[in-house]
Amino acid sequence: MEMPEQPRSRRQTRAAILTHLLQSGGSFRPPLAKAVRLSEASLSRILFDLKAEGLIEEVRRPAPYVGGPTGLVSLDRTVALAALELTGQWLGIGVGGLSGELHYTERLPLPKTVTVESVGKVFREALTLLRDWTRRRRITLAQIGITIPGLGRLSEFGNPIIPCDVGRVSDMFGELFAGVPVAFTNSVVAHATFHRCRTESYPFSDAHLFVFVGQGVAATWMDDPIEEDTLQPVELGHMVFGADGPRCRCGHHGCVEAYTSLPALAELLRTTEAELLRLGSEWVSTIPLTSRVRQELRQRLFRLGLAIGNTLNVKPCRGVVISGWPSALSEEDRKAVVDGIDACLLGGRKLAQVSLAFVPPSNGNDPQAALAFAAFRLASRGGMPAASTEAA
């Protein structure tokens, strides 16, 4: 992970160390000092504090080379986080650790008719279950992460995807989990965080665009993890390609999401979204594609590529990661996405030198994405109190 030449504050220095450990799974001191650009003496002082606070541990491991270090620094396995992930079918909840292991999971189905009130009741039930489970085991949570589809800067005016009063839900947390840091985010940010923190050999370490194609289609800009605004959601799924197109859940017609989301794919394949989630990447080999369906699929992927290319027109960057059902397709079928990007005004990947990578789908494994986001929030604030503010 590329780090700034000189972290500007104590929080940022601690965040640089914790986010590196989160993404690497552990490190010996010399390479850790090099990665975060600190002297070993400075690193040692900060590790002493982090160890005293119960955020990291150091265990003996065989030296990587003769005469090399034997103390492997990693995140403490006893730190407990809670995760809540809202999807179109249910609210997934769980308690787990910084490295992604889950100790408790539950799924509460959403009612057939979703309203702010009915979704609020499901959250109340989930938080009561979570409180009772942690109390019985005397577990103190270090961070709670909540993911909500479509959450963005205008969410105070109502969520366009699943009705949810974030302010009301936030008050529930204040009532049942007083003093525990709580962070809400858009689902795409959580899935991006999951891949960056949990995927081995994640393709990019510098600024790039992460695109998630699941129940919806969205993206987020990803940058240096110790900066406050490192994750900025982009609702590219609601670019309109034709007013006479299929109706989108946002209320418009012809959005790219209405063509390429998981529900739209299920309709094209004459199956259900639940069945596609059950099959995972196996749907490609399980569900036969006629030549007509394959052609239509490629046209829809081309639209997805156009939406990505248009996003890059607004804010160019050198890397794009795509996660979701397109990742399961053959390279020949995925080429339609590349063609769509190349057809955009910026001149495509050749002129803009954009690198494109596909990573496996991460939908259907909730609340893993929310758990990864909770871990990231704890690490990116350096493990310091949520209310802590420091001068740069």
Side-chain angles (χ1 to χ4, degrees), residues 108-131:
L108 302 181
L110 295 185
K112 288 186 178 179
T113 303
V114 289
T115 63
V116 168
E117 288 71 25
S118 65
V119 172
K121 286 180 181 177
V122 176
F123 265 101
R124 170 70 67 175
E125 183 182 353
L127 292 190
T128 303
L129 285 171
L130 186 62
R131 180 197 60 187

Side-chain angles (χ1 to χ4, degrees), residues 239-260:
M239 290 186 190
V240 175
F241 282 94
D244 57 344
R247 183 176 174 82
C248 181
R249 59 180 175 170
C250 73
H252 293 289
H253 288 263
C255 295
V256 67
E257 181 175 299
Y259 292 104
T260 60

Side-chain angles (χ1 to χ4, degrees), residues 345-377:
L345 184 63
L346 62 85
R349 293 168 306 116
K350 292 178 182 176
L351 291 182
Q353 296 180 325
V354 176
S355 297
L356 183 64
F358 289 85
V359 295
S362 52
N363 47 323
N365 71 350
D366 53 284
Q368 281 284 4
L371 183 66
F373 173 70
F376 177 80
R377 280 303 293 242

